[in-house]
Amino acid sequence: MHTLGCGECGAPLDVEYKPDAGHTIRWSGFDVPVPYHSHVPGVSMGEGDTPIVSLPRISESLGATDLFGKLEFMNPTGSFKDRGTATMLSVAAEHGVTEVVEDSSGNAGASVSAYSARAGIKAHVFAPSTAPVAKLGQIRVYEARTHAVPGPREASTDAAVGFQRENGLVYASHNLSPYFVEGTKTFAYEVAAQMSPLPDHIVIPVGNGSLLMGCWKGFSELMAGGALDTMPRLHAIQAEAVMPIAAEFQGREWSPGKATLAGGIAVGSPPRKNQVLRAVRRSGGEALAVSDDSIVRWQKRLAASEGIFAEPTSAAALAGIELLLRRGYIKKDETVLAAITGFGLKDALPE
């Protein structure tokens, strides 16, 4: 876990399983390959198995027949990140790691702090000093060592990497760790078990893209094993203020500098950008950016019409669905699943 990038090109590493490895866990009725030995107790707090609920009022208002949300904020720390953290720290625990470093704008930091406490591992979390108070407070309550870093999101990464190298610690980066995506892929296995037929589209708010990459990997494994013939189209939604993936997908110019309310997807230089773009294209999806005004509008609308209080980052998915419908990428009679990635109380409350 010390080396998280290719020694030649610097790209993030991926896990590859040998056919006879036999390291699997049972998840939603499927045997899922995992990067730790199944006879070793994993680090878990009951993550996953989140519900899928229909969104009938929003469906009706958009003129779409079948719209659903998967409530990822019902994971133990309130976001989908727990899926990846559980697997990443299970690998760390198996290798006897006692101290880790992470950098995060909030949700991943809270998740790593909680699961480290569960595993008896000391955690150092570097986060922007401008991160929501609720998220910084959640990190601290698990007694992780919190390092608030001034400046842009990338400054936290630089500080974390420097601290990790200086102290000879393990960099448990949710952005770079190949084990993190091995945890988020359980989202796809659950969707395959919960929805028959599969949704035509899955719409995901994307910063680093770990959930979208998990979906791609999970559905790809299911297809390779013969359980599925096809996968849903995977759509990546970003905020207009921070849109490196959407800009490249569309062949547009984009320059950093602006801020967005959707802090969970405010990643200017995602290390897995090329992988995310490839997954979106191969699945037949789109990568779009939405305005902060539409994000706030959909955060309020989702709560008022369906009783679901999501953080702004999650509401970006609904704003994206509206745009995808308007541009004809989603047809009125197709089934759509939105990933509701984080709980509303983890961020600043809307006015």
Side-chain angles (χ1 to χ4, degrees):
M1 293 183 66
H2 289 275
T3 302
L4 296 179
C6 173
E8 296 181 4
C9 69
L13 302 175
D14 292 310
V15 173
E16 183 175 322
Y17 297 98
K18 295 180 180 179
D20 58 349
H23 304 157
T24 63
I25 57 173
R26 194 72 177 164
W27 199 286
S28 296
F30 299 101
D31 289 323
V32 181
V34 293
Y36 55 91
H37 294 80
S38 54
H39 66 270
V40 177
V43 181
S44 176
M45 291 194 290
E47 61 287 335
D49 292 325
T50 58
I52 291 176
V53 300
S54 64
L55 306 175
R57 292 181 181 85
I58 290 178
S59 295
E60 184 179 3
S61 68
L62 291 174
T65 53
D66 290 304
L67 178 59
F68 298 85
K70 188 159 172 60
L71 306 187
E72 286 294 281
F73 60 70
M74 295 187 73
N75 279 294
T77 73
S79 85
F80 83 91
K81 298 285 175 59
D82 293 344
R83 295 180 182 273
T85 301
T87 297
M88 181 173 68
L89 288 188
S90 290
V91 175
E94 181 176 347
H95 285 82
V97 173
T98 59
E99 197 167 353
V100 298
V101 178
E102 158 74 318
D103 61 282
S104 165
S105 61
N107 282 336
S111 184
V112 169
S113 299
Y115 279 77
S116 293
R118 181 76 168 179
I121 293 173
K122 182 178 181 180
H124 296 267
V125 178
F126 289 74
S129 56
T130 54
V133 173
K135 290 182 178 179
L136 290 175
Q138 187 181 10
I139 293 169
R140 292 189 181 106
V141 80
Y142 302 117
E143 296 192 352
R145 174 78 185 278
T146 308
H147 305 255
V149 182
R153 172 64 180 85
E154 287 72 21
S156 298
T157 300
D158 293 341
V161 171
F163 182 86
Q164 172 256 326
R165 289 175 176 168
E166 204 174 294
N167 293 277
L169 301 177
V170 169
Y171 185 28
S173 167
H174 72 285
N175 299 336
L176 293 170
S177 172
Y179 307 119
F180 197 88
V181 171
E182 292 303 305
T184 60
K185 72 183 181 185
T186 56
F187 181 100
Y189 282 89
E190 288 174 25
V191 172
Q194 291 171 307
M195 299 187 73
S196 182
L198 287 173
D200 298 298
H201 306 266
I202 298 180
V203 183
I204 303 169
V206 167
N208 284 294
S210 59
L211 184 56
L212 191 144
M213 287 306 305
C215 278
W216 170 258
K217 182 146 195 181
F219 285 124
S220 296
E221 288 177 353
L222 286 163
M223 290 174 66
L228 296 177
D229 295 324
T230 186
M231 73 168 68
R233 295 182 179 183
L234 305 177
H235 302 282
I237 307 301
Q238 299 203 286
E240 287 180 350
V242 188
M243 53 177 289
I245 291 171
E248 182 155 335
F249 186 90
Q250 297 165 25
R252 293 174 51 188
E253 290 294 324
W254 170 81
S255 58
K258 298 179 183 177
T260 174
L261 292 171
I265 52 175
V267 182
S269 302
R272 293 189 182 272
K273 181 176 72 172
N274 291 335
Q275 290 177 308
V276 172
L277 287 165
R278 186 165 58 247
V280 169
R281 290 188 176 111
R282 289 185 178 178
S283 73
E286 296 288 324
L288 301 176
V290 295
S291 68
D292 269 28
D293 286 346
S294 67
I295 289 172
V296 172
R297 175 165 53 85
W298 275 105
Q299 183 188 27
K300 294 178 179 178
R301 191 169 171 183
L302 184 60
S305 63
E306 302 289 1
I308 296 172
F309 185 23
E311 66 179 7
T313 293
S314 304
L318 276 298
I321 290 170
E322 180 182 41
L323 194 56
L324 289 162
L325 278 163
R326 186 187 306 154
R327 295 185 179 179
Y329 296 124
I330 294 176
K331 308 302 181 187
K332 298 289 186 180
D333 61 345
E334 292 180 319
T335 304
V336 184
L337 176 65
I340 312 298
T341 50
F343 190 45
L345 287 178
K346 291 170 70 70
D347 215 312
L349 297 179
E351 297 181 359

